[in-house]
Amino acid sequence: MVLPIMLVAPPAMSQESWILHLGAFKNVDSVNALVSKLRAAGYSAHTSPRTPVQGQLNRVFIGPDVSKAKLQGMQGRIAQMTGLSSSVVAYNP
């Protein structure tokens, strides 16, 4: 007797992730300096595009993290360190 094989889809990811968006900048040197400063302070900073392009908008982010509250709690420290206002936004890879 052969039993049928039941295929079960993996569970959907129900947990949202968030990033802290610090801004969009055209000057590559400024972008690289900002990311270096954030990383030196222990933050997982990155850019989009991954390699910044001079003259084009290069976005700077921290994260992602599953805790929106954690990122919101970091906003004051980041603002003091960088002088920038930031926004917590949903992460869509």
Side-chain angles (χ1 to χ4, degrees), residues 1 11-12 17 19 36 42 46-47 50 54 58 63 72 78 84 92:
M1 174 181 198
S17 293
I19 55 174
S36 293
H46 59 96
T47 63
R50 183 176 294 262
Q54 182 65 32
N58 302 279
Q72 288 170 330
I78 299 298
L84 299 171
N92 296 311

Side-chain angles (χ1 to χ4, degrees), residues 30-91:
S30 296
V31 169
N32 290 332
L34 176 59
V35 170
S36 293
K37 183 177 189 174
L38 292 166
R39 287 180 179 168
Y43 296 104
S44 61
H46 59 96
T47 63
S48 177
R50 183 176 294 262
T51 302
V53 179
Q54 182 65 32
Q56 293 184 12
L57 287 179
N58 302 279
R59 298 181 187 324
V60 178
F61 302 99
I62 292 176
D65 199 299
V66 294
S67 173
K68 184 177 184 179
K70 177 181 172 184
L71 291 173
Q72 288 170 330
M74 292 170 33
Q75 285 181 290
R77 292 187 304 266
I78 299 298
Q80 280 186 322
M81 182 181 11
T82 64
L84 299 171
S85 296
S86 59
S87 301
V88 177
V89 296
Y91 175 64

Side-chain angles (χ1 to χ4, degrees), residues 12-27:
M13 299 245 338
S14 62
Q15 195 167 30
E16 275 189 292
S17 293
W18 303 91
I19 55 174
L20 191 59
H21 182 234
L22 280 88
F25 311 93
K26 290 186 176 185
N27 183 298

